[in-house]
Amino acid sequence: MAETPSPSSQSQYTSGQIQVLKGLEAVRKRPGMYIGSTSTRGLHHLVYEVVDNSIDEAMAGYCTRVDVTIHQDDSITVVDDGRGIPVDIHPTEKVPGVELAMTTLHAGGKFDKSNYKVSGGLHGVGVSVVNALSDWLEVEIRRDGRLWHQRFHRGIKQKELEDRGPAEGKGTRVSFKPDAEIFTETVYNLDTLMSRLREMAFLNRGLQISIRDERPKEPVEEVFQYEGGLAEYVVYLRGARQPLHEPPFYFEAEKPEAEIELAMQYDAGFSENTHTFVNNINTHEGGSHLTGLKAALTRTINDYAKKNNLLKKADHSLSGDDVREGLTCVLSVRVMEPQFEGQTKTKLGNSEVRGAVEAAVNEHLAIWLDENPKAAKAVIEKSLQAARAREAARKARDLARKKNALEGGVLPGKLADCSLNDSSMTEIFIVEGDSAGGSAKQGRDRSFQAILPIKGKILNVERARIDRVLGNEEVRAMITAIGTGIRDDFDLDAARYGKIIIMTDADVDGAHIRTLLLTFFFRQMRELIEAGYVYIAQPPLYRVGKGKQEYYAYSEDQRREIVKRVTNGKGDEARGLNIQRYKGLGEMNPDQLWATTMDPASRTLMQVTMESAAEADSIFSRLMGDDVEPRRQFIEKNARYVRNLDI
Ligand code: 0RA
């Protein structure tokens, strides 16, 4: 650590200080271990980590607002009106509490577990990690009528904690600038921060969270505060879909194993949108709390239907998928010692939580159904329709299977498969249009690249019922080629390819088809996205030819850059340059398509991730729901959407 001030000959580090330096060094050496990555994701985690501390203070009942600012230099300030980090000298460590919090790993400001409620923080690593990974960090505390200040550089204090005199109010202000030596990306994305802060505001009823972006000429400010908490969240997520009952079903319960809060609402749509949280952390991979919720839903709704003679003789009981069709649901639990499992550590492992959630939902939902017979009837009616549709779909599928078996081939005829079988090596390009499909087939490396051309606009899956979606030829070809099955039958291990690459034209129609495909994956094969299998190909927008040389530009800026370069800075496009704007993939010959878009050595792929399933879902819903206007707006603002996918 070059920046560590060496101890002077007289003074020696105390053992405590040496530990501090070692701890911070470890964080700087392996930042990924503490914040997941040093790319855009890790960069944003720094903010979440600091905000989580303020939210802990709010959960403990001492803080009513949190204000986040992105400054012009991409430094961040987080201010809260909590009690303020303690400044008194720690009895054994002999340094002020705040210094301890800023420099000790895992202390995270929570010295005294007993007076602290469960806390969030994806990695729970605390603010010392933010400090270690910041070029500079300043903390200001208002407490007991005085203002305190301390500044750090790469985690190391530059001075002792300073008393800056009398001050009104109370709270903590933390400002920091992420260290460009650590992070590969240092520019904050306002949308990313906004969606996370909005989520936090929904999950913490009444808490006011603001965000201000000072980078544009006209600063942007947004305030999130929801007195309705989860119930308001559900209405937000439901978007434009037609509700079957109002208000949403909502309850809160305290059990020894967990504090449980749930809101849900049925709508006339056909999708299921369930989001679960543990201590404010989005559990994308589900876990015991989700299992408990699903079991309770299926059981309670079936019980109610039977008790009230709402099932006809011919009806079987309602399946889990049936009772969740058209459901938007948010479950938030708070657990003392959460065990996070799974690939992305977003799956709750605590088995005791399952029973607690199941019992609470059984109890409260049964009461709600009894007290709201009109809503109950609508829900059962909806589930019955889903069950009947599903039965019809099953029959159609069986029929299709038999037909396939008779024809001998299982894989779709349009699929040009690759020769390798090892799915860790293979990829499939889903290509818009037969002509581009043809070029891709000729240009590909057939050993590991498969091509499936699909016709123009596949069915709009949000608006269509599952049976019709499965009846669609393009969709069936995709399901068969990918091999995983869908929804409850989904099996990631059965994937026939390691990468599913969507390749569409770089125009508005292409964007629309891409959205349709993503909607399909999001609804039917969500785990495929979660496991990082889905990508978007990036075909070039321009070809710049000069004599025998050719260059490809993937953006307007890049085109200008290239033109400037090849004209030796003159930037004169007329100077013997041949500039071609690609309107579609079909305008490239197979070699060009290979070189620009398909060759792993030179292409750029954008991985589709679920930074926030909640946000992605609401975008999809808004886009694909019955309202035409948001869709039109989307098409106009398409570039922004692609950014939201998180590269
Ligand atoms: C430890 C103890 C107490 C408050 C905090 C930490 C605290 C930490 C942060 C970090 C950001 N904002 C914060 N606000 C409070 C409670 C000390 C007491 O009993 O007064």
Side-chain angles (χ1 to χ4, degrees):
M1 264 210 290
E3 302 295 332
T4 309
S6 60
S8 68
S9 48
Q10 301 97 325
S11 74
Q12 293 276 291
Y13 283 135
T14 64
S15 63
Q17 278 173 310
I18 288 170
Q19 272 200 325
V20 162
L21 295 175
K22 275 197 180 143
L24 298 179
E25 199 173 0
V27 177
R28 289 183 61 85
K29 254 198 192 133
R30 294 173 186 266
M33 293 257 298
Y34 299 86
I35 52 161
S37 85
T38 54
S39 62
T40 247
R41 252 196 148 90
L43 183 77
H44 289 79
H45 264 141
L46 299 186
V47 181
Y48 307 154
E49 202 61 57
V50 177
V51 168
D52 284 346
N53 281 286
S54 301
I55 289 181
D56 279 353
E57 194 63 4
M59 278 163 65
Y62 300 102
C63 165
T64 66
R65 60 182 291 173
V66 183
D67 300 300
V68 179
T69 306
I70 314 172
H71 302 290
Q72 288 188 359
D73 61 351
D74 276 283
S75 64
I76 297 281
T77 295
V78 179
V79 186
D80 69 48
D81 64 351
R83 286 169 294 182
I85 308 179
V87 292
D88 47 340
I89 305 291
H90 191 274
T92 55
E93 301 295 328
K94 313 285 186 217
V95 291
V98 55
E99 187 182 323
L100 211 56
M102 288 300 168
T103 56
T104 319
L105 275 184
H106 295 288
K110 284 150 247 176
F111 328 112
D112 184 4
K113 223 176 175 185
S114 61
N115 86 27
Y116 234 81
K117 269 201 156 179
V118 288
S119 78
L122 185 52
H123 299 83
V125 289
V127 74
S128 62
V129 166
V130 179
N131 192 19
L133 301 178
S134 292
D135 181 12
W136 55 262
L137 180 147
E138 281 187 70
V139 57
E140 233 179 58
I141 293 150
R142 273 157 229 275
R143 236 185 118 99
D144 305 325
R146 303 201 75 79
L147 179 65
W148 300 85
H149 173 270
Q150 193 165 24
R151 185 176 162 107
F152 301 81
H153 170 60
R154 294 187 176 146
I156 295 162
K157 68 177 166 188
Q158 300 198 289
K159 271 198 201 151
E160 299 305 320
L161 179 66
E162 183 189 346
D163 180 348
R164 288 195 163 173
E168 290 191 353
K170 64 186 179 68
T172 306
R173 167 194 296 259
V174 177
S175 300
F176 64 94
K177 183 160 165 63
D179 191 345
E181 264 187 19
I182 301 279
F183 292 94
T184 58
E185 175 61 64
T186 52
V187 179
Y188 277 102
N189 181 320
L190 178 64
D191 288 342
T192 304
L193 288 180
M194 275 220 266
S195 62
R196 166 76 174 200
L197 295 177
R198 184 189 293 115
E199 187 175 283
M200 286 294 163
F202 276 126
L203 291 171
N204 295 277
R205 188 178 42 211
L207 177 62
Q208 181 183 312
I209 305 181
S210 75
I211 175 136
R212 179 179 164 82
D213 187 353
E214 293 181 340
R215 294 169 303 179
K217 259 199 212 94
E218 289 281 323
V220 180
E221 189 163 347
E222 191 93 38
V223 182
F224 306 115
Q225 185 175 32
Y226 306 105
E227 295 304 337
L230 292 195
E232 231 177 306
Y233 197 5
V234 157
V235 171
Y236 170 84
L237 290 168
R238 194 243 304 150
R241 293 185 296 254
Q242 184 65 38
L244 297 187
H245 58 89
E246 265 169 326
F249 162 59
Y250 173 85
F251 80 87
E252 254 181 305
E254 261 190 61
K255 302 252 166 190
E257 300 85 0
E259 279 174 44
I260 300 156
E261 205 181 342
L262 175 89
M264 61 185 229
Q265 186 171 40
Y266 282 90
D267 62 64
F270 305 113
S271 58
E272 178 206 340
N273 313 294
T274 302
H275 305 281
T276 60
F277 298 84
V278 175
N279 301 354
N280 288 338
I281 297 163
N282 195 329
T283 34
H284 293 290
E285 298 172 280
S288 54
H289 53 333
L290 178 61
T291 311
L293 166 65
K294 284 184 174 177
L297 277 180
T298 310
R299 159 127 183 246
T300 306
I301 291 179
N302 271 294
D303 283 356
Y304 181 88
K306 278 180 199 135
K307 198 175 77 185
N308 293 278
N309 296 319
L310 295 169
L311 294 185
K312 303 243 159 57
K313 252 210 186 116
D315 293 319
H316 302 284
S317 59
L318 302 163
S319 76
D321 276 342
D322 296 335
V323 304
R324 296 194 304 272
E325 190 179 283
L327 176 66
T328 303
C329 179
V330 181
L331 170 67
S332 169
V333 301
R334 306 210 196 267
V335 180
M336 268 307 203
E337 290 189 10
Q339 306 288 317
F340 290 108
E341 305 171 346
Q343 271 190 325
T344 53
K345 292 269 175 282
T346 57
K347 180 175 185 183
L348 183 65
N350 305 51
S351 57
E352 75 280 5
V353 176
R354 180 197 159 138
V357 171
E358 191 172 340
V361 177
N362 275 335
E363 179 193 338
H364 288 90
L365 183 58
I367 295 170
W368 182 79
L369 290 168
D370 278 336
E371 288 178 351
N372 297 276
K374 255 178 75 184
K377 200 159 167 248
V379 170
I380 305 284
E381 207 37 59
K382 171 88 186 158
S383 301
L384 273 171
Q385 280 171 19
R388 288 167 195 153
R390 218 175 296 281
E391 180 62 18
R394 192 185 58 74
K395 284 185 182 145
R397 221 163 37 228
D398 285 353
L399 216 73
R401 271 203 202 109
K402 273 189 204 134
K403 210 170 125 218
N404 267 334
L406 285 177
E407 284 164 2
V410 181
L411 290 172
K414 294 207 296 183
L415 174 72
D417 209 2
C418 49
S419 50
L420 284 172
N421 267 326
D422 179 356
S423 71
S424 71
M425 321 258 297
T426 60
E427 43 193 52
I428 181 172
F429 284 84
I430 296 171
V431 187
E432 161 194 6
D434 283 336
S435 85
S439 287
K441 279 181 191 175
Q442 287 176 53
R444 70 180 169 143
D445 181 333
R446 64 172 59 238
S447 68
F448 70 98
Q449 293 180 318
I451 310 291
L452 181 68
I454 55 159
K455 271 194 231 103
K457 307 226 166 145
I458 60 162
L459 208 67
N460 180 337
V461 280
E462 165 82 20
R463 283 146 52 120
R465 238 203 167 90
I466 184 81
D467 49 341
R468 278 191 47 216
V469 171
L470 295 173
N472 180 270
E473 195 187 324
E474 310 293 312
V475 169
R476 277 228 299 270
M478 232 162 31
I479 297 173
T480 325
I482 293 170
T484 52
I486 59 165
R487 290 204 167 196
D488 283 359
D489 296 329
F490 185 90
D491 176 12
L492 188 63
D493 292 334
R496 299 184 59 253
Y497 310 96
K499 289 193 173 72
I500 317 291
I501 304 168
I502 299 171
M503 187 156 77
T504 56
D505 287 342
D507 61 6
V508 167
D509 274 350
H512 199 189
I513 291 158
R514 185 170 64 232
T515 309
L516 291 170
L517 287 169
L518 285 174
T519 307
F520 171 79
F521 290 129
F522 183 77
R523 298 282 180 223
Q524 313 295 339
M525 301 181 171
R526 189 170 294 188
E527 287 166 61
L528 210 57
I529 299 182
E530 283 170 342
Y533 278 48
V534 184
Y535 295 82
I536 295 171
Q538 304 285 290
L541 290 177
Y542 295 97
R543 178 184 164 279
V544 180
K546 190 191 183 211
K548 276 195 182 138
Q549 290 164 301
E550 51 183 22
Y551 305 89
Y552 297 100
Y554 295 82
S555 66
E556 297 291 334
D557 280 351
Q558 226 177 9
R559 189 205 59 191
R560 271 193 293 275
E561 226 171 77
I562 290 170
V563 168
K564 220 165 143 188
R565 191 149 37 88
V566 301
T567 58
N568 297 321
K570 296 192 183 67
D572 182 354
E573 307 201 357
R575 208 168 279 262
L577 296 187
N578 172 9
I579 300 184
Q580 185 186 357
R581 157 134 188 136
Y582 289 125
K583 288 187 208 72
L585 298 164
E587 293 174 27
M588 274 182 271
N589 66 38
D591 289 343
Q592 287 172 328
L593 194 57
W594 163 258
T596 59
T597 318
M598 298 175 73
D599 178 2
S602 53
R603 72 187 179 196
T604 315
L605 287 186
M606 192 163 72
Q607 188 174 38
V608 180
T609 65
M610 303 265 293
E611 175 73 60
S612 164
E615 190 65 8
D617 179 68
S618 74
I619 292 171
F620 279 123
S621 303
R622 269 151 233 260
L623 229 50
M624 297 290 129
D626 290 327
D627 263 6
V628 179
E629 184 58 13
R631 194 154 45 242
R632 195 185 60 72
Q633 283 175 10
F634 154 75
I635 290 173
E636 280 174 8
K637 292 203 344 186
N638 182 251
R640 182 181 166 278
Y641 170 70
V642 172
R643 226 178 45 227
N644 271 342
L645 290 174
D646 184 36
I647 304 149

